[in-house]
Amino acid sequence: MTEANPRPQLAHLTAVLDDLRAKGTYFHLRVLDDQQAPVCHYDGKEVINLASNNYLGLANDPRLIQAAIDATRTYGVGSGAVRTIAGTMRLHMELEEKIARFKNVEACVVFQSGFAANAGTVSAILGKEDYILSDELNHASIIDGARLSRASIKVFRHKDIAHCEQLLQELAGEPGRKLVITDGVFSMDGDIGPVDKLAALAEKCGAIMMVDDAHASGVLGRNGRGSVDHFAMHGKVDVQVGTLSKAIGSLGGYVCGSRDLIEYLYHRARPFLFSTSHPPSVAATCIAAFDLLEKEPERIMRLWANTRYFQGELKRIGFNIGGVTTPATETPITPIIVGEGRKAMEFSRALFEEGVMATGIAFPTVPEGKARIRLILTSEHTRAQLDQALEKLERVAKRLGILQ
Ligand SMILES: *Cc1c(COP(=O)(O)O)cnc(C)c1O
């Protein structure tokens, strides 16, 4: 026990931290000094930023900033209540109607975050008699929602339709409802969930189909409409979750589906009922962001052009960007597989010193032995910035023995 914490009550926490230090996976928070931009400053150091989820540069788009300022001037800084008491503002309703039209569904409800949307929805629509069939790499918010629902959780191997089908067949005689759930894009590997095949399977077995499009929103499908649009599965997915925190540039999560699904969530989703709604600035920002998605598809084209260029160069240099013992990326999420956790963290730190912000990710976020740095391209990176980052990545990787 350290001297700084002489009280024994929380000594078990200190022990965990000591263990992380010993394993080399303890981290400090890096602090952003300016805007979430392709080149910015963390801890006072200028870096090429390849770590954010600001896919389309919307987090600091001048028009979105103006929308936030205008809404704040007109409506104030807070909503003052949960949605069901007195905190539903006209802007909240406008945003939901806008998203529902964009996604071509009957209705939409916005939550405070994507995490709240997943956890609040899964736990509300199922009960302890029911079953959840969940991809092994699904996001933590799905897992927490599944646990909160008290339904039985059956985990299928990553993107393994046959395994999911086998689990569903084993449950065929059970009276409980079944929910099949997958990420639209998997956040650590960047591969796309088999939404088309899973939805067809769910349909065949009478199961509910749900997709978490956090990393697909604004990235996949026409104008960034997500994985259901990407696979042309409109009407075949009962529950579509998206986030407003990544490509949309602000904060929040949403659920799209039938009018009854949304009305039910108004009455039963606990983050909706028991946590205050977004400030008006957030709703106004998101409304402006969906306008931009519809008006400026060229942002998404630039995002994909940057992705193809950068991933092609990484492969040419000889990096393992997945596809051998880990899934192959199909999106702007770009892992560089390193293996050992300590080494991945060392790579990330050394890159930072050279001026590249690249997140190190180790167990338990990814499996043991598959630690990595994860890079995310945006539409706003210039070719010159990407070339500079590639040069630094190669030099540092060679120095650390990650590349020969
Ligand atoms: C980021 C993420 C979430 C959470 O979204 P927030 O809006 O950041 O809370 C949910 N699911 C997946 C797959 C994610 O990557």
Side-chain angles (χ1 to χ4, degrees), residues 49-105:
N49 184 2
L50 289 167
S52 89
N53 299 313
N54 188 17
Y55 285 105
L56 302 174
L58 297 185
N60 35 23
D61 184 276
R63 290 160 292 181
L64 271 60
I65 294 170
Q66 193 58 48
I69 292 169
D70 293 347
T72 302
R73 288 238 159 81
T74 310
Y75 300 108
V77 294
S79 75
V82 303
R83 290 285 299 271
T84 50
I85 306 285
T88 295
M89 304 179 95
R90 195 158 304 288
L91 281 172
H92 295 137
M93 300 309 293
E94 247 181 68
L95 172 61
E96 289 171 347
E97 284 156 18
K98 188 164 193 77
I99 298 173
R101 277 197 306 277
F102 181 74
K103 300 278 283 188
N104 196 22
V105 292

Side-chain angles (χ1 to χ4, degrees), residues 113-116 118 139 141 183 185 187 212 214-215 243-246 252-253:
S113 68
F115 196 108
N118 270 328
H139 192 259
S141 53
D183 281 7
V185 171
S187 50
D212 172 8
H215 280 282
T243 186
L244 304 168
S245 325
K246 290 174 176 144

Side-chain angles (χ1 to χ4, degrees), residues 282-311:
V282 171
T285 304
C286 295
I287 291 170
F290 281 98
D291 279 338
L292 280 187
L293 284 186
E294 293 188 295
K295 278 199 298 241
E296 297 185 357
E298 59 271 22
R299 280 173 186 268
I300 301 178
M301 316 275 258
R302 285 208 303 275
L303 169 67
W304 284 96
N306 277 346
T307 298
R308 278 188 292 273
Y309 173 71
F310 196 73
Q311 291 179 353

Side-chain angles (χ1 to χ4, degrees), residues 114-156:
F115 196 108
N118 270 328
T121 300
V122 176
S123 59
I125 64 177
L126 296 174
K128 62 176 186 300
E129 316 299 321
D130 301 329
Y131 297 90
I132 296 173
L133 294 100
S134 177
D135 187 289
E136 65 181 335
L137 296 188
N138 276 347
H139 192 259
S141 53
I142 294 173
I143 298 168
D144 284 12
R147 289 178 183 157
L148 282 169
S149 75
R150 297 190 292 157
S152 305
I153 304 167
K154 310 281 177 192
V155 175
F156 57 90

Side-chain angles (χ1 to χ4, degrees), residues 80 98 111 128 169 187 198 209:
K98 188 164 193 77
F111 287 80
K128 62 176 186 300
Q169 276 162 2
S187 50
L198 286 174
M209 182 67 205

